Amino acid sequence: MSGVLGETVRLLATHLYLFTLLVLTVWLPGHVALNYLEFFGPASDPTFQSLRIAFFLQAVFDPLVVASIVSALARIKAGLPVPYGAALGEGLRAWPRLVLVRFVIYAVLALPVGLALTLGGRGGGSAAGGMIALALGVLATVLVMRVAVVDSVVVLENATVRTAWARAVALTRGQRGAIFATLLLIFALLIAAVAGIGAAFRAAPELNHFVVRVMVDCALSVVQSAFPIVLFLFYWRARA
């Protein structure tokens, strides 16, 4: 775990310019649109409109960012030059397959999550309903860890919906606990950073400006590239 985290920080620091370009290719216009809606959008439920756009960007265009980052990382590991255009071009070629594979996998994973939410709601706070919901939530987490490296499998091994699941499961075997702990730590650090930024905005409301918010959101998106980097490193170690 510590080795993967250390290499993630090193890769981010060494190739920050490249990862920033790849991330902001999608998320700069995305954050401009989202913050425009929040600051200047219609008064009638701008939050709902923002959520719709954010979901669309995450589901359809974020796989392009991930595919490009994974392609860049493979080139870095192979000692090859990594121009922005080459990484983005390879990401574009893998993009449709990755969107399709993610859709199928998330549809499967949504079943226990949906059951957990339904049972939790119907249980009315009962102990039995809560236990069942918790068990289904744990099941969903276990399934996610089993296929955690599926993005790298799709991008670098040309896997399809039919082959990606089994290959990802094979590569995560023996690493799932470390993957979960590493992702949880990064997630906790990110949440702490977001909470700190929110506190700063509340303490100094003049900072809560359209341009500042776009810049902060873009910076957070670049930091979140740590997630695909970590998962790629676990994939790379398993394949080696």
Side-chain angles (χ1 to χ4, degrees):
M1 175 180 167
S2 60
V4 169
L5 283 173
E7 189 168 2
T8 298
V9 172
R10 182 183 62 79
L11 286 168
L12 259 176
T14 306
H15 304 279
L16 183 61
Y17 177 72
L18 173 64
F19 292 137
T20 299
L21 286 179
L22 294 174
V23 169
L24 296 190
T25 298
V26 166
W27 285 108
L28 175 57
H31 287 311
V32 168
L34 291 170
N35 281 286
Y36 181 86
L37 274 176
E38 181 175 343
F39 280 87
F40 311 113
S44 58
D45 204 3
T47 302
F48 178 70
Q49 297 294 334
S50 297
L51 287 174
R52 288 176 59 187
I53 294 175
F55 177 79
F56 178 77
L57 289 170
Q58 192 70 41
V60 178
F61 288 100
D62 191 63
L64 171 59
V65 175
V66 172
S68 301
I69 289 174
V70 169
S71 299
L73 289 167
R75 282 176 163 264
I76 292 168
K77 283 293 190 179
L80 299 173
V82 197
Y84 164 78
L88 185 62
E90 291 174 7
L92 281 167
R93 284 191 287 275
W95 179 29
R97 279 185 296 107
L98 186 54
V99 170
L100 180 59
V101 170
R102 277 188 168 195
F103 176 79
V104 172
I105 288 178
Y106 289 166
V108 173
L109 296 176
L111 182 59
V113 174
L115 285 173
L117 293 174
T118 302
L119 291 172
R122 289 182 179 177
S126 69
M131 290 298 293
I132 294 173
L134 177 61
L136 289 170
V138 170
L139 173 61
T141 303
V142 170
L143 290 174
V144 169
M145 292 304 104
R146 285 172 65 85
V147 295
V149 300
V150 72
D151 293 341
S152 296
V153 170
V154 172
V155 174
L156 301 179
E157 300 186 13
N158 296 318
T160 63
V161 171
R162 188 172 59 85
T163 61
W165 184 288
R167 177 62 172 157
V169 169
L171 288 169
T172 57
R173 190 171 292 118
Q175 300 194 98
R176 291 162 196 159
I179 292 172
F180 177 75
T182 306
L183 295 180
L184 185 63
L185 176 59
I186 295 174
F187 182 74
L189 291 173
L190 188 62
I191 290 297
V194 171
I197 292 169
F201 282 149
R202 288 190 296 273
E206 65 275 9
L207 291 177
N208 195 21
H209 183 273
F210 172 74
V211 175
V212 175
R213 284 285 296 276
V214 169
M215 293 173 64
V216 169
D217 288 345
C218 286
L220 289 173
S221 292
V222 173
V223 172
Q224 287 179 60
S225 62
F227 288 105
I229 294 173
V230 161
L231 294 175
F232 166 84
L233 291 175
F234 278 110
Y235 161 83
W236 195 261
R237 291 185 173 198
R239 199 180 72 166

